[in-house]
């Protein structure tokens, strides 16, 4: 559709649900809008509650606090769902229990 933002398919491995997420939405926003009980707290990239493993695909990260995701976590393939906007179809697994 003309003028509509590009959207990607995001699969939440924990619930086996696949949802649409536009390039200007975060994975967390799309999940919450779809009624998925995705664990989060601040939604601003500062607490780390939404830390997730990026199983597949590419995301672009909005600015975040350094404490929310360590360089080791980034190296291990983790991201913050509240800061991650899809740049391809993606699959994530949230890490909170
Ligand atoms: S919900 Fe706090 S860092 Fe994502």
């Amino acid at each position: 559709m003309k003028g509509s933002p590009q959207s990607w398919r995001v699969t939440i491995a924990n619930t086996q649900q696949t949802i649409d997420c536009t390039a200007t939405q975060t994975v967390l926003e799309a999940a919450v809008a779809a009624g998925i009980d995705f664990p989060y707290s601040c939604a601003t990239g500062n607490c780390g509650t939404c830390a997730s493993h990026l199983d597949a695909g590419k995301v672009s990260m909005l600015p975040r606090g350094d404490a929310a995701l360590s360089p080791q976590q980034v190296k291990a393939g983790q991201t913050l769902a509240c800061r991650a906007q899809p740049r391809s179809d993606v699959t994530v697994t949230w890490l909170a229990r």
Side-chain angles (χ1 to χ4, degrees):
M1 213 193 309
K2 212 177 165 201
S4 69
Q6 179 159 23
S7 98
W8 302 102
R9 305 290 284 163
V10 172
T11 300
I12 312 293
N14 309 71
T15 65
Q16 297 286 305
Q17 280 163 289
T18 300
I19 57 176
D20 287 323
C21 183
T22 70
T24 57
Q25 248 182 336
T26 64
V27 168
L28 179 67
E29 283 165 356
V32 170
I36 295 171
D37 199 13
F38 205 108
Y40 74 99
S41 177
C42 70
T44 55
N46 288 297
C47 73
T49 306
C50 67
S52 301
H53 189 263
L54 185 62
D55 301 330
K58 282 198 193 109
V59 295
S60 167
M61 294 288 281
L62 295 169
R64 61 180 166 80
D66 287 339
L69 197 68
S70 71
Q72 288 83 354
Q73 284 176 287
V74 174
K75 244 189 216 159
Q78 295 178 24
T79 187
L80 294 172
C82 73
R83 302 282 87 190
Q85 298 178 328
R87 293 295 176 262
S88 71
D89 289 347
V90 304
T91 301
V92 297
T93 303
W94 76 62
L95 301 171
R97 295 157 204 273

